[in-house]
Amino acid sequence: NKFPEAEKNFIRATAIYPSEENFYALACFYHNTKKHKNACKYFQKAINCSTNDVHKAQSLKGLGMEYIDLENIEKAELYTKKAIDILIRLSNNGELLPCLESLDIYCSLALIAHEKGNYPEAEKLYREALKAQKELLVEFNDNSIRQAYANTMHNLARVLTDNHQFDEAENLFSEVIISRQKLAKEKPEEILPDLAETYLYYGNLLLHKKEYTSAEKLYNQALFIHKQAKDEGHYFNTESHFQTLYSLGVLHWQTNNRQEAEKRILSLEV
């Protein structure tokens, strides 16, 4: 949890041994700490010195995801498709590909489709990924697959929410919460921020349906995770935290609790 010290050590490692693995690790560190321009720089360095096509595809996918966060969908799609092209070429050559990593890159296309407002395409891609991940779960009883499956369900639920398919979205969000609560028992620092995100987006769905009591409960659960992480010096998503405060402010405004709404809005300025 000593992020400045971790950053110095990552940078020192890339200076001593400027390898694809070290550049990729530093890029992932910057991704996790929301320093997207720095992450782009080091994903590109990993790509430039890559000697392994699968690793190169992962770095291209990572670079594409950073451009989504930087709101450059054109570049996000460009680099993600380059990653997909590598996987297709390797598959055509008869090479075995790592299933989870390949599906993760495939899901990136769904995320881009969602960002572009192409909900039917995003839904189709996420459902195909869920089917493949479910088959993997049957074959391999592994929590990393469960985590990927929960991530895909969460993202599909967001697409369905945006496309006003609320009933199925609710069912998916509920399933994701149960899954992430179980996974958080083994990896709390890694999974709890994701669980807070699910509370936020499920709360937003219920807010849209004017189910205020249930929505407020979910927002407060997300804020509890954020506070706990901050108090313990762990990472938490500040953007998600502010989005939750904003949504809670909107909820109080809509329920005529103007004093509480003002309190939440003012807290965004702190």
Side-chain angles (χ1 to χ4, degrees):
N1 303 317
K2 299 177 181 178
F3 296 123
E5 185 177 337
E7 181 179 14
K8 288 179 183 177
N9 287 331
F10 275 125
I11 291 173
R12 190 178 298 120
T14 60
I16 295 171
Y17 186 49
S19 67
E20 175 188 7
E21 292 174 341
N22 285 340
F23 288 137
Y24 184 83
L26 181 52
C28 289
F29 170 81
Y30 282 130
H31 168 78
N32 291 331
T33 53
K34 305 299 179 184
K35 296 180 179 179
H36 301 299
K37 290 184 179 179
N38 286 351
C40 285
K41 174 182 175 181
Y42 285 98
F43 276 129
Q44 189 64 66
K45 284 180 177 286
I47 292 164
N48 291 343
C49 67
S50 177
T51 57
N52 180 295
D53 281 337
V54 173
H55 294 167
K56 186 174 184 178
Q58 289 172 337
S59 294
L60 283 164
K61 174 262 180 183
L63 185 56
M65 293 303 95
E66 295 311 312
Y67 278 114
I68 285 183
D69 289 317
L70 291 170
E71 299 182 355
N72 189 332
I73 301 302
E74 185 177 343
K75 282 192 174 182
E77 191 167 21
L78 170 68
Y79 288 113
T80 303
K81 285 186 174 179
K82 284 185 177 182
I84 295 288
D85 287 343
I86 289 175
L87 296 182
I88 291 172
R89 175 170 54 79
L90 292 175
S91 178
N92 289 340
N93 290 340
E95 296 191 36
L96 292 175
L97 301 175
C99 294
L100 270 184
E101 289 82 352
S102 299
L103 284 170
D104 187 41
I105 295 171
Y106 190 72
C107 284
S108 299
L109 282 180
L111 181 58
I112 290 168
H114 187 190
E115 289 290 326
K116 292 171 70 175
N118 189 347
Y119 303 137
E121 179 67 11
E123 180 182 346
K124 172 179 170 288
L125 291 169
Y126 279 135
R127 289 192 190 280
E128 289 172 354
L130 279 177
K131 181 181 177 182
Q133 289 165 339
K134 194 169 186 177
E135 290 172 357
L136 283 175
L137 270 174
V138 171
E139 189 172 355
F140 305 101
N141 188 19
D142 186 88
N143 276 349
S144 62
I145 302 174
R146 287 192 182 87
Q147 187 175 343
Y149 190 69
N151 292 344
T152 306
M153 280 197 295
H154 171 91
N155 289 330
L156 176 57
R158 288 189 58 192
V159 171
L160 296 175
T161 299
D162 288 344
N163 206 26
H164 295 175
Q165 297 169 248
F166 297 127
D167 289 344
E168 186 179 3
E170 278 198 66
N171 291 335
L172 285 171
F173 277 134
S174 296
E175 194 172 343
V176 174
I177 287 171
I178 293 169
S179 179
R180 285 180 167 172
Q181 285 173 337
K182 291 178 181 177
L183 290 166
K185 292 177 182 178
E186 290 191 11
K187 296 181 178 179
E189 291 181 34
E190 182 177 345
I191 304 299
L192 284 176
D194 293 338
L195 178 58
E197 283 267 299
T198 303
Y199 287 143
L200 166 62
Y201 286 106
Y202 191 7
N204 288 346
L205 185 158
L206 296 178
L207 177 63
H208 181 85
K209 295 178 66 178
K210 301 188 186 307
E211 296 181 17
Y212 297 120
T213 301
S214 297
E216 184 173 13
K217 180 180 177 182
L218 289 166
Y219 292 144
N220 284 328
Q221 287 176 302
L223 292 175
F224 177 79
I225 290 174
H226 297 155
K227 183 180 184 305
Q228 188 178 41
K230 185 176 181 181
D231 289 345
E232 295 176 2
H234 297 158
Y235 165 77
F236 74 100
N237 189 330
T238 53
E239 182 180 348
S240 175
H241 179 68
F242 286 125
Q243 286 177 346
T244 306
L245 288 171
Y246 177 80
S247 293
L248 198 50
V250 171
L251 183 150
H252 289 309
W253 188 267
Q254 290 184 4
T255 54
N256 294 316
N257 189 347
R258 302 299 165 86
Q259 185 177 356
E260 191 64 26
E262 184 178 352
K263 174 185 171 184
R264 294 298 180 184
I265 297 301
L266 286 174
S267 70
L268 295 174
E269 300 175 3
V270 176

